[in-house]
Amino acid sequence: MRVWRVMLLVISCLLLVGCSRTVTQIVNYGDQMTVSVTLRGNIDVSANRYFMVLSDNQNFKVPLPPPDQLDTAPEFIEPDMTPQTGSLEAYFTNFFSAWSGYVVLDTTGYTLVTGPFVINQAPTREVLSTLGSINTTISFDFRLGELFATVPDLIYFDIIAVSWPDGAEKVPADHLPSTDNSISKIQGSIKTVADIEDPSLDPGLDIINCTVEIQ
């Protein structure tokens, strides 16, 4: 009986030693997104607008450049705008209802616009920063908690450059080539998306690279 007791004691000690060597991996989630977009030419906010649309929905959509645009929603407008053609209802049905929010770069600088978006209701807008120096790089950052009530495991996004003439249709000119751009909320995650140059586009509308990082 004493031998069995000794053997049980030895086995128990071995199990305890084995358990003590188990390492629990800690996953840190980031709270800030940093974005850098490179254009073929300089930013031109007097003639163009630049958007980053974000969503927790993999199936979200944005108005696309010709020839892929929808006849019922050919423009890229913001939720509180009236389209030149098509119905506002079509934009909410096809696009805005699945957006978590977006960042827009215009003459005032970078602005974060948060959803959910409701027809005939002005969305919440927050100025992130001024435009800064004019060059080929769009650069900004924001806190994820400012956009998402609950930050999803995967954040889906697209970058869109839009021609913005006064009193005329705001037609999207370029966006990221993939329809499934996403990044994990884990701290240190980086996603880089390259786009080929398009000589037919104005250089200030031609997206050639985008890098998104979670910090």
Side-chain angles (χ1 to χ4, degrees):
M1 292 296 292
R2 290 182 178 178
V3 174
W4 283 108
R5 289 178 180 175
V6 171
M7 291 180 65
L8 287 172
L9 180 61
V10 171
I11 292 172
S12 298
C13 290
L14 290 173
L15 288 174
L16 287 173
V17 170
C19 291
S20 66
R21 293 179 179 175
T22 301
V23 178
T24 301
Q25 186 174 3
I26 299 175
V27 178
N28 293 318
Y29 297 116
D31 63 356
Q32 179 171 284
M33 175 177 284
T34 300
V35 181
S36 179
V37 180
T38 303
L39 305 172
R40 184 164 53 89
N42 285 339
I43 297 166
D44 183 359
V45 291
S46 62
N48 309 320
R49 295 288 184 273
Y50 306 92
F51 294 86
M52 181 183 196
V53 177
L54 302 107
S55 181
D56 58 5
N57 184 344
Q58 183 179 8
N59 298 315
F60 88 104
K61 297 178 181 179
V62 299
L64 298 175
D68 299 319
Q69 62 191 154
L70 297 174
D71 292 336
T72 56
E75 296 182 80
F76 193 109
I77 62 170
E78 298 188 58
D80 55 351
M81 293 176 57
T82 301
Q84 297 289 325
T85 58
S87 69
L88 187 58
E89 289 78 6
Y91 282 90
F92 276 88
T93 299
N94 292 311
F95 308 115
F96 302 147
S97 61
W99 293 6
S100 297
Y102 60 93
V103 176
V104 55
L105 172 59
D106 58 20
T107 54
T108 63
Y110 297 90
T111 300
L112 177 67
V113 188
T114 56
F117 300 111
V118 179
I119 194 167
N120 297 323
Q121 180 176 313
T124 301
R125 308 176 75 90
E126 176 187 350
V127 176
L128 296 176
S129 64
T130 59
L131 174 59
S133 59
I134 300 295
N135 51 44
T136 62
T137 303
I138 298 169
S139 181
F140 61 91
D141 58 69
F142 64 92
R143 298 289 179 185
L144 295 173
E146 294 177 307
L147 180 63
F148 299 99
T150 301
V151 180
D153 292 336
L154 283 178
I155 301 167
Y156 299 92
F157 63 90
D158 201 350
I159 306 290
I160 310 94
V162 185
S163 177
W164 207 264
D166 290 336
E169 291 185 2
K170 280 60 174 174
V171 179
D174 198 11
H175 78 125
L176 298 180
S178 172
T179 57
D180 187 25
N181 302 303
S182 63
I183 188 169
S184 168
K185 68 177 179 180
I186 296 175
Q187 189 176 57
S189 298
I190 298 177
K191 180 65 173 287
T192 298
V193 182
D195 192 6
I196 59 173
E197 295 186 12
D198 186 349
S200 69
L201 294 177
D202 181 274
L205 288 167
D206 193 6
I207 300 167
I208 60 176
N209 184 274
C210 170
T211 299
V212 180
E213 183 176 358
I214 302 297
Q215 298 178 335

